[in-house]
């Protein structure tokens, strides 16, 4: 199965602006979902604020991916 997703400068900048603890937790959750296919919903390893940050960055990845796919005429 091939999955395409975009990690844009907006995503990288947002992650890099986080404190180290949040950066590591959120990045791990994103990698688990987008690379390994694991769902992090209800994941107790993220604090409530980390869940909010994770959701925001996940939305960025999805929107940026959709935008790039539209621009190149990609259809799944």
């Amino acid at each position: 199965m091939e999955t395409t997703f975009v990690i844009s400068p907006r995503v990288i900048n947002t992650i890099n602006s986080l404190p180290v603890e949040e950066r590591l937790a959120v990045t791990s959750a994103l990698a688990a979902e987008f690379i390994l296919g694991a769902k992090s919903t209800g994941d107790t390893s993220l604090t409530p604020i980390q869940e909010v940050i994770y959701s925001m960055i996940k939305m960025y990845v999805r929107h940026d991916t959709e935008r790039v796919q539209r621009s190149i005429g990609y259809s799944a």
Side-chain angles (χ1 to χ4, degrees):
M1 175 174 91
E2 183 178 321
T3 303
T4 302
F5 57 92
V6 174
I7 304 296
S8 67
R10 170 171 73 158
V11 171
I12 293 169
N13 291 338
T14 302
I15 290 170
N16 284 334
S17 71
L18 297 171
V20 173
E21 183 179 339
E22 279 73 23
R23 186 181 319 157
L24 293 174
V26 170
T27 302
S28 294
L30 287 168
E33 180 159 348
F34 285 105
I35 296 172
L36 303 175
K39 295 293 180 190
S40 71
T41 307
D43 184 353
T44 58
S45 66
L46 295 177
T47 65
I49 191 65
Q50 290 170 345
E51 284 281 351
V52 171
I53 296 166
Y54 168 79
S55 294
M56 179 187 73
I57 295 173
K58 181 176 158 181
M59 180 195 65
Y60 287 174
V61 171
R62 287 188 175 160
H63 287 182
D64 294 345
T65 299
E66 290 170 3
R67 188 178 66 246
V68 167
Q69 288 176 341
R70 278 192 311 271
S71 73
I72 62 173
Y74 177 84
S75 64

